[in-house]
Amino acid sequence: VTRSSSAIAGARPFEGSDLPANAAALYPQSTGPEGLQRLEAAWARPARFGLLTEINNNHIGVLYIVTGFLFFLGAGVLALLMRIQLAYPGNTFLDPATYNQFFTMHGTVMMFLFSVPIVEAFAVLLLPSMLGTRDMPFPRLSALGYWCYAFGGVLVFVSLFFKIAPDGGWFMYPPLTGPKYSPGINTDVWILGLGFVEIAAIAAAVELIVGILKTRAPGMSLSRMPVFAWYMLVTAGMIMVGMPAVIAADILLELERAFGMPFYDATRGGDPLLWQHLFWLFGHPEVYIIFLPAAGMVSMMLPTFTRAPLVGYTWVVLSAIAVGFLSFGLWVHHMFATGLPLLSLGFFSAASSAIAIPMGIQVFAWIATLWDGKPMLRVPMLFILGFLCIFTLGGLTGVMVAAVPYDWQVHDSYFVVAHFHYVLIGGMVFPIFAALYYWTPTVTGRMLSERVGRWAFGLMFVGFNAAFLPMHLTGLLGMPRRVYTYPADIGWNTLNLVSSVFSFVFAAGVLLVLVDWVRHWRGGGQVPHNPWDAPSLEWMAGLGVAHSFRSLMPISSRYPLWEQKGLKEDETAGRGYLPDAPTTEREALITTPISAEPVQIIRLPQPGWTAFVASLATAIALAAATLKIPSAAAVAGVIAASAFIRWLWVLDGPVPHGLADAGRDLALPLYKNDSASVGWWGLSVLLVSDAAVLASFAFAYLFLWTSRPASWPPDGSMLPGFVLPAAAVLLVACAALLFRAAERQIRRDRRSPAVWSLLVGALAGLGACWLVWGWPASLGISPTGHSYGAAAWTLAGYAVFHIGIGAAMALWCALRLALGMIDSWRCLTVRLCLLWWGFTVAVTAFALLLIAGFPHVVH
Amino acid sequence: MSRSSPCLLAAWGVAGITGCAGRQSALDPAGPSAAAIHTLGIAMWVGAALVTLLVIVLMLVPFIRKRPRPANRRLFLWGGGVALPLVTLMALVPYVLTVGQETRASTAPEALSIDVTGHLYWWEVSYRRAGSPPGANSANELRIPVGEPVELLLRSVDVIHSFWVPRLAGKIDMIPGRVNRMVIQADQPGRFRGQCAEYCGTQHTLMAFEVLAVPRAEFDVWLQQMNHPAPHPQTPELRAGRDLFVSMGCGACHAVRGVAQGRLGPDLTSVGSRSLIGAGALPGGVGNIAGWIASAQHLKPGNGMPSYDQLEGTQLRALSNYLDSLK
């Protein structure tokens, strides 16, 4: 009864698996108790300290959310301290230096350590079960991202207690943050900590994109996907494209601070506006990176509380995508006061306003959903209504600041402070609190208190509006942002006092939620499954079980728990896919990106120390380097490197050739070594970010030329020739071709010629590194004398970095090949390295062509 | 639940329309540029209030209606989602661009042109253009004739600052390596307070200045005065003050026309006539000048001026009386 034999002929629900009708599948699945036993053993959570080794996204997601909320509380306390300082004119509660550190940290922590991580955290926690999978494909990467975020964030935050916290504003405009005007390590702390957080954000984004596209439940085609997954897909894509701009800006700033390469220093051909372009090229999309996931959560909660499907699913999805695209065309509206030509301001003004259309569609789709059903006024719904009120006004003041002349008045005044708190607290914090009340039962099995929640909402709503609405007026009365005090006779006293008092009312509401959460966490009655009678799959997942589902059910509806009768029973009875873990490893089902047909069973990494050790050692190494303790930095650096090497070493382990039983009479391969593998998708997504970093460096080069066209190239440097760069590109192309030849040989299992091709390819790569690195010096281009040299060296350096990694990959593959760890079947490593080499050829050609060709064009 | 917001909104509306006094208020415009922006602001606030109200009402209807009725999808999505923002924006964007064009209108070449340079944390002001005498410098105070467009050329020597006099015009940044231009005009005489609007470091807060609009005749007299060195001190105490100014090396940083040519700190030729000391750290007056000299680092930590707390009482009095006499 309990053995499902895949040899049984039966209707195969999905086309596309290459199972011959009578083949015996490996690892037969069992739907009985012994299958469940194996499943539970494979997903068992390590105990005590071992918990640090757990990498399951369900677990990491909870850590992520808790950490994010702690940062929210910390930054909130900073805000309250600032409000005390501003309650009265001439107050001396905080001295100027401390106040400057506080507002810098408030902004930095809220934007980088709370907002972006927490929305990704909710996705990491909820998406696997919402998509009907056990886990997403790269849990170890998620764990690495989480630990990087936690260590980097703590590093930045504790700097406050040593009075070395960043103090240049969360936007860190040079030259104020350059080596001349910020000689202390405060700015380095910011760059270092944020570097970690950016790595974490990108790691989570890779996981989310590949997870959403490749690990959905069978049958959950794109059009049946929960709308939150759509929002997260757009958000993660925006992170992959947008985050690199600020990473590049940070790298350039640190190069200027540590090595004196002038990018932002106007006295040596740099331009402070370069930073603003790069920063806001990311910074503006960031607002939507924060808002879209929150909007996605609202779109998930509304159907539950109205008992009606979301109105205009397609409209909403298309709006989210439109917002994603438009958000990259708006960054200049943070720079309206920098003196750019009115024509370009007009363009950005219109583009900024245009985003009101997809926003309007979403708001009206939500309202229509309310109209369609019978809405219930539970706590999450209260927070959603609060969100609609506040966010609408925030969006409308956004249209006002997008109006160029109006922005000239209100920019950098308290009006803008009011505006973006309406957008961010209204558009993101209220939905997050709704989500907290809504989804807490999926984690703890207990509900938060309805009564406390109502009080908390009331305090937060009233406190928020009474604190921030007056700030519009304060700003119009002329109060600039980021001032630690103000004159008493200028008409701002009452307004500031009101804002200060009600900020504490808002904080009281947050505190109430915190108390409620702690109370609920310590005990209380369990609620039944799916207490809200919600339609989506995360409410079907088993409580407190890491594998989420006994079996993975085929999905045929957008609202499966409402429309697919008996789904829960079938799932628990093991009538779906993978009801067992016969390999004793953690497994998930890979499906096709569009129609979600199952095509592969992947083995997920087991719990392990690598992610934790790698991130901790990296954090220590970089912190020690910042604090100038070279010995500690070296030791920690070696440990970190070993951890990463170990990680890579165990990747692409041995896998049997045959098809394995997936349950429901389907047999699937356990391994893909081509572009269908998740590894290939993960690397491709990562290369998009890599290309965006390169584009940012190229933008820096071209932008610096536009601001200093007369001295490009500056006196004393020769015009670059084309022979050497052409030779270098040729050499890199040769190395790539050798790598490709090696890959061909490997597919024919001809090991020794493959090893030789790889070794010669690595040698060619190293030769190219040497050529490219020496080239700018031979032209008399100094990296520190003028922005021209700094920009050219950065581009060349980025090419060298890629070629160097490629050479290391060739040696790595040669070693694994020699040890028999690569063969014609198990060759994904080689394929991925080949992808890198192809990309490297493009990077090198592009960078060198720009450096060599552009001075000729403008000369 | 939204009990607090409508009444606050109303309070705001009343304040906004009746005009809010205040030396630095964008709601009390005293020049054409600020006035045009203020009108634009009122129009946009009225629109925003109406849309917010519409959304709140539509949102609450399902909770209070007796019989549920499904939403008209076409009306909500096409009407509310597409048509409403589209129509509003199509009206708004041309209006906005027109206002932008007007507020950046250029001046005739013979009009007055002033160089304003941002420093950590003070403003250098020079009247270098046609008709202005050489060395016509000032600091933390711009004197302009009433009713005329005045061109400002804005620079910075260190970090980014932003020039903002809300009663006259919007702000524009002062960026190292760039020169930004703006035109201001005051339609009535008076003192208009301005303040740095781009965070520029420890004392960004205390980087204020004033624009002093005076009738043209008075302005011309004042500008002509710039041809002459600062008047000689008349009393022994003032002379002692001047000698201290010279002997203590104040002139290494500060200029007093005819006495010293320092350029690192504010020009003090007419410091006695200013209503702000230390770019807004203190109001003017001899007592505050003395206080500033003795404890500048205490009053404005991190600014470029050391505290001269080793001066004897008589010396401090003489020096501050001398400076206060420079009108």
Side-chain angles (χ1 to χ4, degrees):
Chain A
V1 193
T2 56
R3 281 267 160 199
S4 92
S5 160
S6 48
I8 297 170
R12 294 224 314 267
F14 293 102
E15 297 301 317
S17 88
D18 10 338
L19 172 69
N22 55 355
L26 301 164
Y27 305 117
Q29 301 267 336
S30 157
T31 57
E34 72 278 14
L36 182 60
Q37 238 167 34
R38 274 191 293 268
L39 191 63
E40 282 172 346
W43 290 85
R45 192 157 282 171
R48 285 193 288 281
F49 282 119
L51 208 53
L52 294 176
T53 67
E54 177 58 291
I55 53 173
N56 185 319
N57 274 313
N58 296 336
H59 171 71
I60 291 294
V62 174
L63 290 184
Y64 234 131
I65 291 177
V66 170
T67 315
F69 265 108
L70 289 177
F71 282 124
F72 172 68
L73 295 176
V77 169
L78 294 181
L80 293 178
L81 294 173
M82 287 191 290
R83 277 322 312 177
I84 294 177
Q85 165 66 15
L86 292 177
Y88 298 101
N91 200 349
T92 52
F93 176 69
L94 298 175
D95 62 74
T98 308
Y99 185 89
N100 293 342
Q101 292 190 4
F102 277 16
F103 81 69
T104 300
M105 288 296 287
H106 173 73
T108 302
V109 173
M110 283 297 191
M111 294 302 277
F112 288 108
L113 301 185
F114 167 64
S115 300
V116 176
I118 199 96
V119 295
E120 287 194 312
F122 268 95
V124 160
L125 174 70
L126 293 173
L127 270 182
S129 49
M130 211 179 254
L131 296 173
T133 179
R134 295 227 165 91
D135 206 342
M136 291 187 284
F138 310 118
R140 191 163 35 191
L141 186 65
S142 287
L144 178 82
Y146 167 71
W147 291 114
C148 278
Y149 155 65
F151 294 132
V154 168
L155 212 66
V156 175
F157 204 89
V158 297
S159 69
L160 266 176
F161 304 115
F162 299 95
K163 295 253 167 202
I164 50 167
D167 56 1
W170 85 278
F171 44 90
M172 282 278 150
Y173 279 4
L176 180 59
T177 52
K180 189 166 172 200
Y181 299 102
S182 292
I185 67 166
N186 312 47
T187 303
D188 302 305
V189 168
W190 189 89
I191 295 173
L192 168 70
L194 270 287
F196 271 100
V197 174
E198 286 149 7
I199 293 171
I202 291 212
V206 171
E207 168 81 323
L208 292 175
I209 293 178
V210 182
I212 292 169
L213 291 177
K214 301 285 283 182
T215 57
R216 296 196 306 274
M220 186 188 276
S221 59
L222 281 184
S223 62
R224 291 181 192 139
M225 195 159 80
V227 70
F228 180 62
W230 272 111
Y231 273 102
M232 282 319 301
L233 191 60
V234 174
T235 304
M238 290 170 69
I239 290 175
M240 297 309 292
V241 181
M243 200 62 102
V246 78
I247 292 176
D250 286 351
I251 291 174
L252 300 185
L253 182 58
E254 195 52 47
L255 287 176
E256 178 165 325
R257 291 179 59 84
F259 304 105
M261 292 166 72
F263 294 98
Y264 309 118
D265 176 0
T267 60
R268 286 182 291 159
D271 190 341
L273 283 191
L274 171 62
W275 170 272
Q276 298 190 17
H277 280 291
L278 289 175
F279 187 84
W280 292 117
L281 199 51
F282 155 76
H284 196 81
E286 181 180 27
V287 176
Y288 297 96
I289 286 171
I290 292 166
F291 165 73
L292 287 177
M297 293 184 204
V298 168
S299 305
M300 293 299 285
M301 287 183 269
L302 271 177
T304 302
F305 290 104
T306 54
R307 329 290 324 146
L310 181 70
V311 169
Y313 174 94
T314 313
W315 284 72
V316 169
V317 168
L318 290 177
S319 298
I321 295 171
V323 168
F325 275 102
L326 284 175
S327 69
F328 284 96
L330 313 185
W331 81 94
V332 170
H333 87 211
H334 296 264
M335 300 168 63
F336 281 167
T338 55
L340 298 176
L342 199 57
L343 186 68
S344 63
L345 296 190
F347 168 78
F348 284 102
S349 179
S352 304
S353 313
I355 210 157
I357 294 169
M359 285 299 184
I361 290 173
Q362 292 170 72
V363 167
F364 278 90
W366 294 323
I367 295 180
T369 309
L370 286 175
W371 279 62
D372 249 9
K374 255 185 83 61
M376 295 179 293
L377 212 54
R378 306 293 294 272
V379 172
M381 185 59 122
L382 281 176
F383 277 103
I384 290 174
L385 295 183
F387 148 75
L388 278 172
C389 295
I390 298 174
F391 180 73
T392 302
L393 188 56
L396 290 164
T397 52
V399 173
M400 296 184 200
V401 297
V404 179
Y406 200 67
D407 186 65
W408 288 335
Q409 276 291 17
V410 298
H411 179 71
D412 274 338
S413 78
Y414 262 81
F415 184 96
V416 169
V417 177
H419 155 68
F420 69 74
H421 281 93
Y422 265 78
V423 171
L424 294 174
I425 293 187
M428 182 264 180
V429 174
F430 273 66
I432 287 282
F433 275 83
L436 190 70
Y437 270 83
Y438 179 68
W439 274 297
T440 287
T442 64
V443 176
T444 65
R446 293 186 286 268
M447 310 263 283
L448 292 169
S449 157
E450 188 75 12
R451 201 161 56 92
V452 179
R454 281 170 194 273
W455 273 100
F457 167 75
L459 288 171
M460 285 173 73
F461 188 80
V462 171
F464 172 79
N465 281 298
F468 286 93
L469 197 64
M471 283 186 196
H472 292 105
L473 184 53
T474 321
L476 287 171
L477 289 177
M479 181 157 166
R481 295 168 73 177
R482 301 159 188 148
V483 293
Y484 63 82
T485 192
Y486 49 92
D489 57 350
I490 208 162
W492 307 336
N493 303 5
T494 319
L495 290 168
N496 273 302
L497 186 59
V498 168
S499 291
S500 291
V501 169
F502 280 95
S503 66
F504 280 86
V505 175
F506 179 76
V510 175
L511 189 68
L512 218 49
V513 175
L514 185 69
V515 170
D516 190 19
W517 208 87
V518 171
R519 176 204 59 77
H520 124 282
W521 184 61
R522 295 172 50 138
Q526 293 273 327
V527 291
H529 250 287
N530 198 359
W532 310 105
D533 189 16
S536 43
L537 286 178
E538 76 274 20
W539 296 101
M540 189 170 82
L543 191 67
V545 285
H547 56 268
S548 297
F549 302 108
R550 170 66 210 272
S551 60
L552 305 178
M553 294 305 297
I555 295 304
S556 56
S557 157
R558 210 176 269 169
Y559 301 96
L561 292 193
W562 282 354
E563 291 169 358
Q564 283 182 259
K565 297 295 168 216
L567 195 64
K568 174 77 186 162
E569 290 71 34
D570 289 348
E571 180 258 316
T572 339
R575 286 193 279 271
Y577 297 94
L578 300 184
D580 187 356
T583 60
T584 70
E585 286 190 61
R586 296 179 174 184
E587 288 167 342
L589 212 51
I590 295 294
T591 51
T592 53
I594 295 171
S595 52
E597 291 166 24
V599 285
Q600 186 199 343
I601 299 169
I602 48 162
R603 298 172 165 195
L604 298 166
Q606 300 295 118
W609 285 101
T610 1
F612 178 79
V613 172
S615 44
L616 180 62
T618 312
I620 294 175
L622 291 178
T626 307
L627 295 168
K628 308 204 168 52
I629 318 172
S631 51
V635 172
V638 169
I639 295 175
S642 331
F644 279 115
I645 287 173
R646 199 199 117 72
W647 179 333
L648 294 172
W649 191 252
V650 299
L651 281 182
D652 205 6
V655 184
H657 284 246
L659 299 180
D661 186 10
R664 290 178 75 92
D665 296 337
L666 182 71
L668 296 172
L670 289 161
Y671 184 67
K672 295 264 183 188
N673 56 19
D674 54 10
S675 62
S677 68
V678 288
W680 196 90
W681 281 64
L683 183 60
S684 302
V685 172
L686 196 61
L687 289 181
V688 171
S689 271
D690 193 339
V693 174
L694 177 69
S696 302
F697 287 152
F699 173 82
Y701 180 97
L702 296 170
F703 180 81
L704 289 169
W705 164 70
T706 63
S707 73
R708 297 283 181 278
S711 58
W712 202 267
D715 301 333
S717 59
M718 284 178 277
L719 269 182
F722 285 98
V723 177
L724 218 130
V729 172
L730 214 61
L731 207 52
V732 174
C734 279
L737 284 175
L738 280 166
F739 203 101
R740 193 175 141 85
E743 188 251 357
R744 291 283 150 86
Q745 306 285 2
I746 289 166
R747 276 166 61 190
R748 281 183 235 125
D749 270 326
R750 287 156 63 175
R751 190 186 295 180
S752 129
V755 170
W756 280 109
S757 310
L758 288 171
L759 290 178
V760 176
L763 212 59
L766 292 175
C769 281
W770 176 75
L771 265 185
V772 176
W773 191 241
W775 176 50
S778 72
L779 300 170
I781 301 175
S782 142
T784 54
H786 188 277
S787 66
Y788 167 73
W793 276 86
T794 309
L795 279 168
Y798 205 57
V800 168
F801 167 77
H802 279 83
I803 307 166
I805 299 236
M809 282 176 168
L811 295 175
W812 179 264
C813 289
L815 178 63
R816 284 179 77 103
L817 197 54
L819 293 173
M821 295 169 76
I822 290 176
D823 55 40
S824 60
W825 161 251
R826 188 179 157 197
C827 61
L828 182 60
T829 304
V830 178
R831 293 266 168 79
L832 295 185
C833 294
L834 185 59
L835 187 61
W836 177 270
W837 266 106
F839 183 75
T840 299
V841 174
V843 168
T844 313
F846 175 78
L848 297 193
L849 186 66
L850 188 61
I851 304 173
F854 191 72
H856 291 277
V857 176
V858 298
H859 189 57
Chain B
M1 34 154 284
S2 53
R3 217 172 303 141
S4 75
S5 67
C7 66
L8 274 168
L9 202 67
W12 193 93
V14 170
I17 289 159
T18 54
C20 274
R23 287 179 291 147
Q24 203 166 310
S25 169
L27 301 175
D28 186 11
S33 175
I37 294 172
H38 182 49
T39 315
L40 170 67
I42 290 176
M44 290 197 296
W45 267 105
V46 169
L50 291 176
V51 174
T52 310
L53 209 62
L54 175 74
V55 167
I56 291 177
V57 167
L58 286 178
M59 177 185 96
L60 292 181
V61 165
F63 291 91
I64 50 180
R65 68 186 168 184
K66 293 206 179 66
R67 256 184 318 131
R69 223 175 337 147
N72 181 336
R73 282 167 165 65
R74 194 171 296 165
L75 187 65
F76 271 89
L77 295 174
W78 280 109
V82 179
L84 179 68
L86 197 64
V87 169
T88 318
L89 292 177
M90 274 165 45
L92 183 63
V93 169
Y95 176 30
V96 164
L97 293 180
T98 316
V99 174
Q101 210 52 259
E102 281 169 9
T103 50
R104 279 241 179 134
S106 54
T107 45
E110 68 268 23
L112 180 64
S113 174
I114 308 175
D115 288 286
V116 183
T117 307
H119 293 257
L120 293 165
Y121 307 93
W122 60 281
W123 311 83
E124 180 188 343
V125 179
S126 318
Y127 297 75
R128 290 197 201 123
R129 309 279 140 176
S132 304
N137 295 329
S138 180
N140 301 332
E141 188 176 274
L142 272 82
R143 204 174 281 246
I144 59 167
V146 172
E148 293 176 31
V150 177
E151 178 189 51
L152 305 180
L153 295 172
L154 302 150
R155 297 180 176 81
S156 168
V157 293
D158 36 51
V159 304
I160 304 174
H161 305 280
S162 191
F163 183 93
W164 187 30
V165 196
R167 292 195 61 195
L168 299 182
K171 62 184 70 63
I172 194 157
D173 292 348
M174 311 165 94
I175 300 168
R178 288 174 181 254
V179 183
N180 273 333
R181 176 180 174 279
M182 86 185 290
V183 175
I184 58 170
Q185 178 177 337
D187 287 337
Q188 64 199 62
R191 283 183 181 274
F192 308 106
R193 193 175 190 270
Q195 192 167 354
C196 177
E198 182 63 80
Y199 175 67
C200 59
T202 323
Q203 286 301 344
H204 163 61
T205 305
L206 297 182
M207 188 169 164
F209 63 99
E210 281 188 325
V211 175
L212 188 57
V214 296
R216 182 76 208 192
E218 198 181 313
F219 177 78
D220 287 337
V221 172
W222 175 80
L223 201 60
Q224 278 315 304
Q225 219 184 339
M226 294 257 184
N227 271 326
H228 312 294
H232 274 287
Q234 300 299 320
T235 69
E237 192 196 26
L238 293 183
R239 274 194 290 277
R242 184 200 52 194
D243 295 344
L244 267 172
F245 184 88
V246 174
S247 64
M248 285 176 51
C250 302
C253 297
H254 296 285
V256 170
R257 215 165 31 250
V259 179
Q261 280 92 40
R263 293 290 305 275
L264 295 174
D267 187 300
L268 298 179
T269 308
S270 54
V271 67
S273 68
R274 290 182 206 144
S275 63
L276 298 174
I277 300 296
L282 296 168
V286 65
N288 285 337
I289 292 178
W292 174 255
I293 295 170
S295 48
Q297 283 305 317
H298 174 71
L299 293 164
K300 189 174 170 180
N303 91 92
M305 166 103 177
S307 292
Y308 288 90
D309 44 9
Q310 76 284 17
L311 284 178
E312 312 243 336
T314 48
Q315 293 178 309
L316 190 57
R317 256 195 307 281
L319 185 55
S320 43
N321 273 322
Y322 165 65
L323 290 173
D324 191 49
S325 75
L326 300 171
K327 301 289 182 187

